Amino acid sequence: LHAANRYLESVQANSAPVSADNRPHRERFSDFVFSALYGAADFDQALSSVLALIGERYGVDRMLLLETNPDGLTCGCTLEWTAPGIPSCKPLLQRLPYSRYFAAYKDALENNGVLYIPDTAGLEDALLSCHPSLKTRSVFRCAIMDQGQYRGFLGFDICRNAESWPEARLNGLASLLRLIGLFIVKERGHARLNRFDRHVPAALDAIPLPICVLNRDNHQVLFSNQTLLNLAPHFVPGDTCHHTLFGLDAPCSGCDIGVQGERPTTVSA
């Protein structure tokens, strides 16, 4: 990340600035972004720095990350960078209903998940309602996708003067934001698993019924709650359920675990 900052400073100090559309320099900058996010000890801090670098390099007024809230029905701004003199809009962009957001963006987002509005003047009310009091002149959004589902948006706002960007410049930024989106999906997925590891086992241990969690691909025991371990101390993670229960080397005849579309099977031992 420090190297990316030095590179950006060298570009800004050059009397003939390198265009963000220049492919070799764009690819080099993408490498810096990849290195900054890959294995970052503090992902959100690294991402904030990356958004600042992109905002400065592309000369926009605001960079935004909008993410889906836990309710799955709304999204909100979780990270923001603004250029000097540009007010923050983060408090205004919270709990935006997807029903309204997509009513405005649906047609545009169907084009590779990218929305670009070079001039917001004269926009229909549905779209303007997604940006209350922002006084945004140009808008760019790139969808963050995870297995076909929207997880949020990355993009920029230009507030002072409407700008029309060439296609090559837009495509280059969209590719960069999609790369960042992959890191965001990976990081948020790990965070959800960590929350499971912290909270779900304790909740299952509090249930006075024997419960286990199995890997449906190989029938391996992933978790056994305390009630089950009190009844069957040998039912520990790592072994398979058929071997632990019945000493079998292969799944039980007629076992439905792992069969797509089947309801979970309850086994009493």
Side-chain angles (χ1 to χ4, degrees), residues 11-262:
V11 171
Q12 292 173 330
N14 194 320
S15 58
V18 176
S19 169
D21 308 325
N22 185 292
R23 182 173 179 178
H25 288 273
R26 186 172 68 240
E27 291 176 349
R28 185 181 176 192
F29 187 72
S30 297
D31 290 341
F32 281 129
V33 169
F34 183 92
S35 298
L37 297 178
Y38 183 78
D42 187 330
F43 179 80
D44 281 355
Q45 182 179 5
L47 181 57
S48 295
S49 298
V50 164
L51 293 183
L53 287 172
I54 295 173
E56 292 175 11
R57 182 166 190 238
Y58 280 84
V60 301
D61 292 325
R62 180 185 294 118
M63 292 293 301
L64 294 167
L65 169 60
L66 299 166
E67 296 187 81
T68 301
N69 290 318
D71 60 17
L73 302 175
T74 61
C75 64
C77 181
T78 55
L79 287 176
E80 177 191 44
W81 168 88
T82 58
I86 300 299
S88 170
C89 72
K90 187 175 180 179
L92 300 174
L93 296 178
Q94 299 299 324
R95 303 198 65 80
L96 296 172
Y98 267 132
S99 57
R100 188 178 70 183
Y101 213 63
F102 282 126
Y105 286 178
K106 183 176 182 296
D107 291 340
L109 286 170
E110 286 179 349
N111 181 23
N112 297 321
V114 172
L115 167 75
Y116 176 53
I117 304 172
D119 191 346
T120 60
L123 285 181
E124 59 187 62
D125 291 343
L127 184 55
L128 289 174
S129 67
C130 297
H131 299 279
S133 306
L134 298 187
K135 299 180 180 178
T136 301
R137 297 299 308 277
S138 298
V139 174
F140 181 89
R141 298 287 184 267
C142 182
I144 301 171
M145 306 296 295
D146 180 18
Q147 297 182 343
Q149 299 294 317
Y150 286 99
R151 299 301 183 191
F153 306 93
L154 278 163
F156 69 75
D157 292 339
I158 295 177
C159 305
R160 286 172 273 213
N161 296 295
E163 293 184 15
S164 181
W165 286 16
E167 184 175 357
R169 185 180 180 88
L170 292 170
N171 289 341
L173 180 58
S175 296
L176 183 59
L177 295 185
R178 289 191 186 104
L179 172 65
I180 296 172
L182 292 176
F183 279 101
I184 292 172
V185 168
K186 170 179 173 289
E187 176 65 23
R188 301 317 186 219
H190 283 174
R192 287 193 295 270
L193 288 176
N194 288 337
R195 286 195 295 272
F196 176 92
D197 289 342
R198 289 196 305 269
H199 302 299
V200 173
L204 296 180
D205 279 337
I207 298 174
L209 295 172
I211 298 174
C212 71
V213 179
L214 303 176
N215 183 329
R216 69 179 184 180
D217 293 329
N218 58 19
H219 297 216
Q220 188 178 61
V221 178
L222 300 177
F223 171 81
S224 298
N225 75 340
Q226 194 57 51
T227 302
L228 177 56
L229 291 175
N230 291 338
L231 295 171
H234 57 288
F235 212 94
V236 295
D239 204 351
T240 59
C241 54
H242 47 268
H243 184 267
T244 300
L245 289 172
F246 308 114
L248 300 176
D249 294 328
C252 304
S253 177
C255 179
D256 290 331
I257 297 175
V259 178
Q260 295 290 338
E262 296 288 348

